Amino acid sequence: MPDDTIGIDISKATLDIHRLSDGKMMSFSNCPAGFKALSKFCAQTTVTR
């Protein structure tokens, strides 16, 4: 798995994610359940920054 960059836009209600390598975008709730889902999303690739 190649290193990758993931950008996160944090707002009061959501965490909007963009993975550079494949352009995949996701949105998660800004709450403990959303953090868990974000963690699973980030675990799919080796993140550089």
Side-chain angles (χ1 to χ4, degrees):
M1 213 178 281
D3 287 348
D4 203 353
T5 300
I6 293 179
I8 305 174
D9 180 27
I10 301 169
S11 72
K12 185 175 181 176
T14 62
L15 306 167
D16 298 316
I17 312 302
H18 179 265
R19 184 168 47 211
L20 190 59
S21 65
D22 60 4
K24 184 162 182 134
M25 297 186 337
M26 305 268 309
S27 185
F28 303 100
S29 296
N30 192 349
C31 68
F35 300 150
K36 186 174 181 179
L38 170 62
S39 178
K40 287 182 181 181
F41 176 82
C42 290
Q44 295 175 2
T45 189
T46 304
V47 180
T48 302
R49 54 185 162 148

